[in-house]
């Protein structure tokens, strides 16, 4: 085995993660044409509506009944980082923030002391399929930040840094930098967009990195070494085959790596795509129950009590599965009422 590889793990819908990451779900749904009200133009017969995770015909309704997705639900004590490679997500939350994002955008929300949000997948196209591919990553908060004010942030695709590289044979690799600076072989230091203010990723000493790496056929790229003692996992989620330091690796696997050792990756098949999650462990106790992640059982009990009492600010939207209409483009409405759309790159 490569000196860099400490462990190999198989991938399913929910991917193995390590401190400071709590969870990573890969949603890859081949939704059909839309029905004019943002749902699928297909029969829902045979689906367990409200709990549809079976993947019938290559797609799921999840907890949605008319539109696929996740109607209003609470969180406390961590952050959600949602990277949409393809398709769209309609967001609404108890802060009054909202958005439609996709096509490479990242929505980064700090739940902090408590927030409700909904995440629906609007099927906006009625004349063609509506595929969606996204990662939802949960990044923990340290005890000192568990009860910070919630925050809604948007990282538009057009402004997200991308390193475009070539190996000695001219084969291309692209590194999309959602979090964590990347130093190119030529010595250029590419900085990410700023994470939310209370994020564990906000302190560069924590070396949090979230990168999406695309290698064209035959491309060779080296994952640079970082500090010793980080948790570093590389997920091979699309493609066919590759080699890492000369060792054959396969799609639908994760590789737990030694963060202090570089690793050379060569794509030996079709276009290959990897997700990197890396960060310094928080090294604090984790007590989790569903959507709440705290440090002690008592804090968990308090989270349930607070939610029952306050609903984390209540739900200011007309629907619990709030969507933003057929004609709406990508946008973000922030908690202070400010509205923005992506700017051309």
């Amino acid at each position: 085995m490569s000196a860099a590889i400490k462990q190999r793990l198989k991938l399913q819908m929910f991917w193995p993660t390590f401190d400071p990451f709590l969870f990573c779900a890969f949603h890859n749904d081949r939704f059909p044409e839309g029905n004019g009200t943002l749902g699928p133009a297909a029969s829902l017969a045979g689906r367990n509506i409200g709990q549809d995770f079976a993947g019938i015909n290559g797609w799921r309704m999840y907890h949605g009944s008319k539109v696929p997705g996740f109607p209003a639900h609470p969180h406390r004590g961590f952050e959600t980082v949602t990277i949409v490679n393809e398709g769209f997500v309609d967001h609404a939350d108890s802060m009054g923030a909202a958005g439609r994002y996709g096509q490479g955008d990242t929505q980064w929300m700090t739940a902090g002391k408590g927030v409700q949000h909904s995440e629906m997948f609007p099927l906006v196209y009625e004349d063609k399929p509506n595929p969606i591919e996204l990662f939802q990553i949960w990044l923990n908060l340290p005890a000192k930040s568990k009860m910070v004010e919630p925050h809604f942030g948007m990282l538009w695709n057009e402004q997200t840094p991308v390193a475009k590289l070539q190996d000695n044979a001219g084969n291309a690799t692209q590194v999309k930098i959602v979090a964590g600076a990347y130093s190119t072989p030529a010595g250029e230091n590419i900085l990410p967009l700023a994470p939310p203010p209370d994020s564990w990723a906000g302190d560069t000493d924590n070396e949090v990195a979230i990168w999406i790496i695309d290698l064209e056929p035959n491309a060779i790229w080296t994952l640079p070494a970082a500090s010793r003692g980080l948790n570093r996992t590389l997920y091979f989620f699309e493609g066919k085959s590759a080699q890492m330091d000369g060792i054959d690796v396969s799609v639908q696997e994760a590789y737990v790596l030694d963060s202090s050792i570089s690793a050379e990756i060569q794509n030996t098949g079709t276009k290959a795509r990897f997700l990197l999650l890396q960060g310094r462990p928080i090294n604090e106790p984790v007590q989790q129950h569903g959507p709440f992640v705290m440090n002690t059982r008592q804090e968990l009990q308090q989270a349930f009590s607070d939610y029952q009492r306050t609903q984390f600010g209540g739900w200011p939207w007309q629907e619990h599965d709030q969507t933003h209409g057929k004609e709406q483009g990508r946008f973000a409405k922030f908690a202070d009422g400010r509205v923005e759309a992506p700017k051309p790159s």
Side-chain angles (χ1 to χ4, degrees):
M1 186 173 288
S2 161
I5 300 176
K6 299 163 64 176
Q7 191 176 7
R8 295 174 70 149
L9 301 165
K10 289 292 184 183
L11 294 183
Q12 298 179 346
M13 177 182 285
F14 304 113
W15 292 357
T17 55
F18 304 90
D19 185 8
F21 298 97
L22 298 161
F23 172 86
C24 182
F26 180 54
H27 297 280
N28 186 10
D29 289 285
R30 305 293 94 184
F31 289 114
E33 294 83 354
N35 62 5
T37 56
L38 304 179
S43 171
L44 301 182
R47 295 180 181 271
N48 183 15
I49 296 303
Q51 294 282 346
D52 176 25
F53 288 80
I56 298 170
N57 296 327
W59 52 275
R60 305 159 183 84
M61 290 294 290
Y62 299 102
H63 296 305
S65 59
K66 298 178 182 178
V67 177
F70 298 85
H73 56 281
H75 290 303
R76 172 179 277 188
F78 64 99
E79 299 186 288
T80 60
V81 184
T82 308
I83 307 167
V84 183
N85 297 326
E86 186 177 21
F88 298 96
V89 175
D90 276 0
H91 171 98
D93 66 39
S94 55
M95 295 179 278
R100 173 169 289 173
Y101 62 99
Q103 299 178 331
D105 301 327
T106 299
Q107 197 269 310
W108 194 322
M109 187 185 77
T110 305
K113 69 180 183 180
V115 67
Q116 291 191 67
H117 74 155
S118 64
E119 305 156 287
M120 307 308 297
F121 305 154
L123 307 187
V124 297
Y125 302 118
E126 299 172 31
D127 57 349
K128 62 180 180 179
N130 289 270
I132 189 165
E133 180 185 283
L134 66 86
F135 308 108
Q136 181 160 103
I137 300 158
W138 291 11
L139 176 61
N140 202 8
L141 289 167
K144 67 178 183 179
S145 303
K146 290 286 188 190
M147 297 296 285
V148 298
E149 291 295 324
H151 179 88
F152 167 87
M154 189 70 75
L155 310 180
W156 299 116
N157 179 62
E158 289 83 348
Q159 279 73 54
T160 302
V162 174
K164 296 184 178 181
L165 312 164
Q166 288 188 336
D167 61 21
N168 291 335
N171 300 308
T173 294
Q174 175 177 293
V175 182
K176 184 172 184 175
I177 302 158
V178 177
Y182 171 64
S183 294
T184 71
E188 181 184 6
N189 193 36
I190 302 178
L191 300 178
L193 299 174
D198 295 295
S199 178
W200 186 247
D203 184 343
T204 56
D205 288 344
N206 295 329
E207 296 186 57
V208 172
I210 303 174
W211 300 346
I212 299 173
I213 303 126
D214 294 343
L215 285 83
E216 295 298 324
N218 303 311
I220 298 173
W221 174 76
T222 298
L223 173 63
S227 296
R228 187 176 303 276
L230 308 179
N231 281 333
R232 171 182 263 195
T233 310
L234 189 67
Y235 305 86
F236 188 2
F237 69 92
E238 186 178 306
K240 185 177 180 182
S241 61
Q243 290 189 336
M244 192 179 306
D245 293 338
I247 304 299
D248 289 338
V249 295
S250 301
V251 71
Q252 300 304 313
E253 285 189 333
Y255 308 94
V256 180
L257 304 178
D258 184 329
S259 60
S260 67
I261 300 175
S262 63
E264 183 184 86
I265 301 169
Q266 180 173 7
N267 182 12
T268 57
T270 58
K271 179 180 177 179
R273 308 191 74 200
F274 296 82
L275 172 71
L276 176 76
L277 297 182
Q278 171 190 286
R280 188 172 305 284
I282 295 173
N283 284 330
E284 293 178 352
V286 172
Q287 290 288 334
Q288 178 176 354
H289 193 288
F292 304 144
V293 182
M294 305 302 291
N295 297 107
T296 67
R297 297 297 299 177
Q298 183 178 5
E299 290 170 345
L300 272 185
Q301 291 168 357
Q302 187 63 53
F304 278 100
S305 175
D306 290 348
Y307 178 59
Q308 290 172 352
R309 180 173 51 87
T310 70
Q311 296 294 294
F312 293 164
W315 189 248
W317 302 94
Q318 184 176 357
E319 305 290 345
H320 280 77
D321 57 352
Q322 185 70 30
T323 54
H324 304 309
K326 289 196 300 181
E327 307 303 324
Q328 177 65 56
R330 293 152 64 213
F331 79 100
K333 177 186 177 185
F334 296 91
D336 61 5
R338 182 169 47 94
V339 177
E340 71 175 30
K343 300 174 183 177
S345 57

